Amino acid sequence: MEITASAPGKAILFGEHAVVYGKPAIAVAVDRKAYVTLKKREDKRVHVKINDLNLSGFLDLEKSEVKVENLNKKPEKKGILNYILSAVLKVQKGALQGMDIEIDLEIPIGAGLGSSAAITVATIAAVSKFNRMELSKDEIAEHAHNVELEVQGAASHIDTTLSTYGGMIYLSKNAEDIKPIKISGNLPLVVGYTEERGNTGELVESVKLKKETYPEAVNPILNAIESVTDDAVDALLEKDEKRIGELMNINHGLLDALGVNTGDLSRMAYTARRAGALGSKITGAGGGGSIIAYCPGKVEEVIKSIKKMDKAFNAALSVDGVKVKVKK
Ligand code: PMV
């Protein structure tokens, strides 16, 4: 028996950083997935292989430890094994059955696109199925959020919610509520990214320091991001393309003012606009990582232009969340 689970990554459309101060945010699941394939092993070991990283290792479930076996590229990325270990432990039931877990990614790891949440959600879905547990999506999302809390120390619900349910969400003020934003048709989005990425924790800290040092300047910026985000909900529901694009550009400028922009991100954002995107902005923490561009009728042109110097892909909205397939 072979079980494959897939879960999409995410991009924040509006409100990053301000969300840390209780402001709202809008985020979408993007049609780029993490795939987790699981097969039974004859021994009791849990072996993990992440093809894109050339990384493999064993999970010692008894000691809650990861033993790295092979790591040819990007040693800084081996931390992803901790999410998988914690996810496997969350849905263990009865005597341990050995398994081979293989992971394939369409999302770059560590580019602010929710790769760890997508891997966590897909692992929980696949392993729970393997252990004959029937989990609801709510239960998968809850376990996945707990994995993120355990591994990262702090986490919002944005990434794990989108990887589980798909679609687009509005996280309301003070994270009181997560509501789906339902639009008809697709959102023509392109993600551009560099290999360099900022450290989310450090960037959040740098904004906090700016806020403490220049409260009179920074508080109005956070309020402006809130206004842009709330206005964007209407623009998205009304499919007002021009307004969606302009609001993204304003949000980009406000993030620049908070100090999380970089030369690479600017280059990608302006390349996208020159190639016909109606709007473009940093997505996620900034300091490197990714931009997102809104490109009605211009997706291919924008991808081609960004690719001259950086990497880019079509990031259409994923209506689907986590999915599981069983092959006998
Ligand atoms: O690094 P990412 O893409 O997961 O985005 C972080 C978003 C922030 O608002 C900067 C931080 C947060 O925890 O919400």
Side-chain angles (χ1 to χ4, degrees):
M1 185 172 72
E2 186 179 293
I3 296 171
T4 301
S6 62
K10 71 98 206 328
I12 299 180
L13 268 188
F14 293 96
E16 50 274 270
H17 285 290
V19 73
V20 174
Y21 299 95
K23 307 295 188 194
I26 299 173
V28 284
V30 296
D31 199 11
R32 288 264 159 167
K33 297 187 170 124
Y35 295 86
V36 172
T37 304
L38 211 152
K39 284 186 212 142
K40 186 173 157 190
R41 268 174 83 95
E42 289 315 320
D43 59 20
K44 299 243 177 273
R45 302 186 98 175
V46 179
H47 184 256
V48 180
K49 191 166 158 224
I50 303 179
N51 290 324
D52 311 71
L53 295 182
N54 229 337
L55 165 64
S56 61
F58 286 99
L59 308 182
D60 186 334
L61 299 191
E62 261 147 36
K63 292 198 201 136
S64 284
E65 263 176 27
V66 167
K67 291 200 182 78
V68 175
E69 178 187 53
N70 176 29
L71 181 56
N72 292 341
K73 293 194 268 190
K74 307 196 172 131
E76 73 280 8
K77 296 195 173 167
K78 71 170 191 284
I80 194 69
L81 289 174
N82 294 319
Y83 290 85
I84 300 167
L85 171 66
S86 167
V88 172
L89 283 170
K90 288 269 175 293
V91 286
Q92 268 317 304
K93 201 180 77 173
L96 175 66
Q97 170 64 60
M99 55 187 125
D100 278 316
I101 300 177
E102 206 166 312
I103 301 199
D104 292 286
L105 294 171
E106 293 171 344
I107 323 159
I109 288 197
L113 298 168
S115 58
S116 56
I119 291 173
T120 302
V121 165
T123 303
I124 288 170
V127 177
S128 59
K129 189 75 176 176
F130 181 79
N131 289 335
R132 298 194 166 76
M133 298 161 76
E134 292 300 325
L135 296 188
S136 66
K137 283 198 170 172
D138 284 356
E139 288 168 322
I140 293 175
E142 189 58 30
H143 281 309
H145 179 62
N146 289 334
V147 167
E148 289 213 323
L149 286 179
E150 218 170 274
V151 180
Q152 301 166 192
S156 87
H157 281 89
I158 295 180
D159 294 22
T160 42
T161 300
L162 285 170
S163 290
T164 308
Y165 299 97
M168 175 159 40
I169 55 172
Y170 173 78
L171 181 79
S172 69
K173 234 177 147 85
N174 300 319
E176 276 155 6
D177 194 13
I178 293 183
K179 294 187 201 127
I181 301 177
K182 291 210 170 103
I183 55 160
S184 58
N186 212 319
L187 266 185
L189 297 172
V190 168
V191 162
Y193 67 100
T194 60
E195 289 296 331
E196 300 286 305
R197 97 149 293 196
N199 177 304
T200 300
E202 285 170 16
L203 286 149
V204 167
E205 198 52 39
S206 76
V207 172
K208 182 167 165 242
L209 193 63
K210 283 235 163 59
K211 182 169 150 48
E212 283 163 7
T213 315
Y214 310 103
E216 309 261 322
V218 172
N219 289 332
I221 296 173
L222 300 174
N223 291 338
I225 294 179
E226 176 173 16
S227 303
V228 164
T229 304
D230 282 335
D231 201 356
V233 177
D234 296 331
L236 285 160
L237 290 172
E238 288 160 21
K239 274 204 174 291
D240 187 338
E241 295 181 342
K242 185 163 174 278
R243 206 156 115 224
I244 296 169
E246 282 178 354
L247 289 167
M248 285 173 77
N249 292 343
I250 295 172
N251 197 158
H252 180 76
L254 294 167
L255 286 166
D256 189 7
L258 290 179
V260 300
N261 199 4
T262 65
D264 288 346
L265 292 170
S266 272
R267 180 180 62 242
M268 290 191 286
Y270 283 95
T271 300
R273 289 182 211 175
R274 266 198 306 276
L278 293 182
S280 60
K281 63 178 275 293
I282 294 163
T283 182
S290 310
I291 62 119
I292 188 142
Y294 177 60
C295 323
K298 296 280 182 190
V299 167
E300 292 314 318
E301 288 88 338
V302 170
I303 291 177
K304 206 169 140 209
S305 298
I306 296 178
K307 274 189 169 171
K308 284 184 189 149
M309 283 194 77
D310 300 290
K311 294 183 175 168
F313 59 79
N314 182 337
L317 184 152
S318 173
V319 182
D320 291 330
V322 62
K323 278 187 163 174
V324 184
K325 279 193 197 136
V326 179
K327 209 160 84 188
K328 301 254 174 199

